[in-house]
Amino acid sequence: MPSPLAVSLGVVLVATLLAGCHGSDAGSPKQIAVALDERLEFGGAWGCHGLRPPSCQLTEDGLELQGLVFEGANPIWSVVVLNGTKGPIHLHDAAFHGIPLGILPGDCPACGVTLTNVESDSSCTAIIVGPGKAAVLLDGLTAATISYGSPEASGDDVMCSGPAVSVQEGEGVVDIRRNTLSYQGGNGTTGIHWAYQSGGRPGSFQGLDISGYAVGVDGRLARVAIDGMRITDCSVGLRTMAGTTPSGFPQESAPDTLHAAHVVVEDCRPEIPVGCAEPITPEGPHFLWWQCTPVGLLFEQVAAELTDITLRNVTVGIDAAFDGDLSLTGFRIEGGLYGLRSHIPYSPGSILLRDGVIANATFVGAETTTLNLVVDGVTFRDNGRGWPDLSRTDYRVEALRDEAYWYGGLVARVDHGWPVPAPLVLMVNNVVHGSQFIGNVPYGLSTPDIRLIDASGNWWNSVTGPTVRGPLLAPPPATGDAVSDGVQYQPFLTQPP
């Protein structure tokens, strides 16, 4: 069942009911009160809707609105609309209090909507971008959203906790620049929700700051260029996947590829994550399920090319459930339980980790399940410190034999610890070169199932190389970081690269 806000916008898109005129004298700012159930539309057939220059005027560049302050009577049942179907609209230096803004870009070459320096607060959704072929630019939006009502309510108190910015399906490019989105309280959902259907909508993110939402960014982002984004205080920083069928399951198609650079996600470790009924209580490295895991970057059936990525204090830095390729270059992942985790058994997609640092993960710095792993110039430092103290009487050493392989700096596996089928053994091409393993316990590098990895040319925090050990662990080694049986680590570096 669609939300009241979606119904309200749907009415906006098709209705022809005139909401009344709002006359104005010259000067700014202009205070405009929007009544309950009122739709106030500019552009299209309505033009300036009764406003006079300089608040609203027709220029060579289209319809221009400036210095307007809209006061909403109800953030669910009222809406202001910019209708760009007849020509371009530019709204700048405006504010919206307790009322959302709907945008109709239009389909003509000269259509489109531009927002510059707009503030929005006290509404459950700030901006809704409707379908259309023309371009939309959101530049300098500052939005602070809040939830209203409850799921059991009806009428004016019905639940409203929509995304701060909702971009619906369409062909027109949507560029979002210099936006600051924050959540004020309640049951917040998403900072930016991007259309999933039809391959996702084209666009770009530049210079975004998103905080306080359950999910910072959600949608099919293969056609979105991301360059500069910071997400804090979340359950999931960014989540993207391939399109879905009407039943809700992912489409069977080639993976999308996400391109992102200069992204920071931090402090995404809520006590009770979205999707969880109770707080997380770690019992071991396998307690997390994807439905209720706080994650910095979550990819489902999506390939990703990531550059200059920083993840701090996130329960799982990157969770990659995909069949495509992951390329991570120039990165830093610190804290949390897992730095990077992939969990598609025998994944044909490749993973490239280059020129980065993964440090202080409680369980594992990186756990991969791919037939094609390349690690080059990565430092794994002080990961696996959550490994139980074997001197404690409440842990049984026998029960921990297999579990030991799942802790440390890098766990390179193909399945969940089971022997690899013979035909796949010849397909495994996992290499680790020019990297450093420093202070990881109980392993710097382990291979629970394949025993096939070229780990030559690495620094193991000792001039004598790594410590080789089986599954039954002694205390942490006094020399180099440990490797599991079968890791091909010679020749090794006798000093850091």
Side-chain angles (χ1 to χ4, degrees):
M1 179 178 178
S3 68
L5 185 58
V7 172
S8 178
L9 183 58
V11 172
V12 169
L13 302 181
V14 300
T16 58
L17 177 63
L18 179 62
C21 295
H22 295 262
S24 173
D25 296 324
S28 65
K30 297 301 178 187
Q31 304 284 335
I32 301 177
V34 185
L36 180 66
D37 294 331
E38 183 176 8
R39 173 187 57 83
L40 181 58
E41 183 170 334
F42 297 93
W46 308 119
C48 284
H49 208 129
L51 292 181
R52 294 189 290 271
S55 297
C56 183
Q57 57 191 330
L58 187 62
T59 70
E60 294 180 353
D61 299 323
L63 191 66
E64 180 182 6
L65 297 101
Q66 64 176 319
L68 300 175
V69 178
F70 297 93
E71 300 283 352
N74 185 290
I76 302 176
W77 300 110
S78 304
V79 66
V80 175
V81 175
L82 300 183
N83 187 337
T85 58
K86 299 293 186 180
I89 298 178
H90 183 196
L91 171 69
H92 60 92
D93 302 311
F96 295 79
H97 302 305
I99 188 167
L101 171 64
I103 295 176
L104 301 178
D107 294 328
C108 65
C111 298
V113 175
T114 298
L115 267 64
T116 306
N117 298 331
V118 172
E119 297 182 2
S120 174
D121 62 41
S122 303
S123 179
C124 48
T125 293
I127 305 289
I128 304 172
V129 179
K133 297 180 180 179
V136 173
L137 171 62
L138 309 181
D139 186 4
L141 169 67
T142 301
T145 61
I146 193 167
S147 294
Y148 288 87
S150 66
E152 296 79 19
S154 59
D156 293 345
D157 294 325
V158 71
M159 181 68 178
C160 178
S161 59
V165 176
S166 176
V167 179
Q168 300 177 352
E169 180 181 2
E171 300 178 32
V173 174
V174 179
D175 293 322
I176 303 179
R177 306 173 188 171
R178 300 186 306 121
N179 280 210
T180 300
L181 310 178
S182 61
Y183 186 62
Q184 295 178 315
N187 299 308
T189 53
T190 307
I192 298 176
H193 179 79
W194 203 264
Y196 272 107
Q197 294 78 20
S198 302
R201 193 161 179 168
S204 68
F205 299 162
Q206 298 180 41
L208 306 190
D209 194 327
I210 302 172
S211 65
Y213 293 92
V215 181
V217 177
D218 184 23
R220 190 169 187 179
L221 303 170
R223 301 172 69 189
V224 178
I226 301 175
D227 187 1
M229 179 168 64
R230 181 174 180 265
I231 302 174
T232 60
D233 188 19
C234 60
S235 282
V236 176
L238 180 148
R239 176 174 61 194
T240 183
M241 61 179 291
T244 56
T245 63
S247 62
F249 291 98
Q251 295 174 346
E252 296 296 330
S253 60
D256 293 337
T257 299
L258 171 73
H259 299 272
H262 311 113
V263 175
V264 175
V265 181
E266 55 189 350
D267 297 329
C268 293
R269 302 181 64 180
E271 180 182 7
I272 304 180
V274 172
C276 294
E278 55 189 27
I280 290 178
T281 55
E283 300 293 341
H286 309 302
F287 76 94
L288 293 173
W289 296 95
W290 69 270
Q291 293 94 333
C292 64
T293 303
V295 181
L297 305 174
L298 174 60
F299 309 120
E300 299 182 35
Q301 292 193 338
V302 173
E305 295 182 4
L306 311 176
T307 305
D308 189 14
I309 305 297
T310 301
L311 305 169
R312 298 190 188 95
N313 298 323
V314 181
T315 301
V316 177
I318 298 176
D319 196 334
F322 59 89
D323 294 322
D325 301 333
L326 171 64
S327 173
L328 186 58
T329 303
F331 62 92
R332 189 172 190 90
I333 305 175
E334 297 179 292
L337 300 182
Y338 291 80
L340 180 149
R341 181 179 66 172
S342 67
H343 47 84
I344 297 294
Y346 316 124
S347 172
S350 65
I351 296 179
L352 169 63
L353 306 178
R354 175 169 287 156
D355 299 333
V357 175
I358 302 179
N360 301 311
T362 300
F363 292 154
V364 183
E367 178 188 3
T368 64
T369 56
T370 177
L371 303 177
N372 302 283
L373 171 67
V374 176
V375 179
D376 181 19
V378 176
T379 297
F380 297 87
R381 184 189 299 273
D382 296 330
N383 299 293
R385 297 293 178 175
W387 172 243
D389 180 0
L390 298 186
S391 65
R392 290 174 53 180
T393 58
D394 55 331
Y395 286 102
R396 292 188 302 112
V397 173
E398 289 293 325
L400 295 172
R401 282 184 175 181
D402 293 334
E403 295 295 322
Y405 283 126
W406 305 94
Y407 288 78
L410 172 61
V411 177
R413 62 184 180 88
V414 173
D415 197 1
H416 296 275
W418 300 100
V420 179
L424 290 179
V425 171
L426 299 177
M427 300 173 59
V428 176
N429 182 30
N430 291 345
V431 296
V432 181
H433 295 318
S435 296
Q436 303 183 64
F437 294 84
I438 303 172
N440 302 284
V441 293
Y443 286 99
L445 171 58
S446 65
T447 57
D449 46 18
I450 55 178
R451 306 292 193 272
L452 295 170
I453 187 166
D454 178 2
S456 60
N458 297 295
W459 167 248
W460 302 96
N461 201 29
S462 172
V463 295
T464 60
T467 299
V468 181
R469 56 171 23 143
L472 183 60
L473 294 184
T479 56
D481 278 28
V483 296
S484 61
D485 293 333
V487 173
Q488 302 168 17
Y489 62 87
Q490 292 184 334
F492 53 82
L493 299 180
T494 57
Q495 61 182 13

